[in-house]
Amino acid sequence: MALGFTVLLLLGTLGTAARAQPVLSQPRLVLVQPGQSARLSCTLSPQYNISHFGISWYQQRPGRSLTYLLYYNSERDKHKPAMTPERFSATKDLASNACILTIAAACQDDNGTYYCALSPALRWL
């Protein structure tokens, strides 16, 4: 049985009236077999450069509230709370202007809706 990762469009909140706000787009549906890796992409609108932004990822399982998973800007600027399983990680694909959430060895508990959002650069302790 395949796991379905529904991914929805989330609009950015940065920008000015003189220029279009950044927009993040995600695939509507990603299917993966249990035990396989899932790659969920979050692509930034082309007039902006993903290397200048941090991305926060959130998960919403069916019937549950939204949960923060992790923040990623670079290998030196990232955050993942202790409650987020190690199988969740992120990276940036500069050629695609995207941030990629990887779920290694996906399991049934990973089924749900995943959201990405632009975040200001954060300094995690």
Side-chain angles (χ1 to χ4, degrees), residues 62-104:
R64 299 204 182 160
S65 60
L66 194 67
T67 302
Y68 165 70
L69 286 175
L70 58 84
Y71 163 84
Y72 186 87
N73 185 30
S74 68
E75 285 303 307
R76 293 171 61 175
D77 182 16
K78 61 183 178 178
H79 175 260
K80 181 164 57 172
M83 66 184 180
T84 299
E86 283 301 312
R87 66 182 181 276
F88 287 87
S89 64
T91 189
K92 287 185 180 175
D93 180 349
L94 300 181
S96 298
N97 206 34
C99 185
I100 310 296
L101 176 70
T102 300
I103 308 170

Side-chain angles (χ1 to χ4, degrees), residues 39-125:
R39 286 175 47 90
L40 308 178
S41 64
C42 177
T43 305
L44 183 60
S45 47
Q47 66 267 41
Y48 293 89
N49 188 328
I50 194 73
S51 66
H52 299 150
F53 294 93
I55 300 291
S56 293
W57 286 93
Y58 301 86
Q59 175 193 56
Q60 187 165 28
R61 295 183 201 162
R64 299 204 182 160
S65 60
L66 194 67
T67 302
Y68 165 70
L69 286 175
L70 58 84
Y71 163 84
Y72 186 87
N73 185 30
S74 68
E75 285 303 307
R76 293 171 61 175
D77 182 16
K78 61 183 178 178
H79 175 260
K80 181 164 57 172
M83 66 184 180
T84 299
E86 283 301 312
R87 66 182 181 276
F88 287 87
S89 64
T91 189
K92 287 185 180 175
D93 180 349
L94 300 181
S96 298
N97 206 34
C99 185
I100 310 296
L101 176 70
T102 300
I103 308 170
C107 64
Q108 196 65 41
D109 280 348
D110 300 330
N111 195 33
T113 303
Y114 289 79
Y115 301 91
C116 65
L118 287 177
S119 295
L122 302 172
R123 297 291 179 238
W124 300 97
L125 299 177

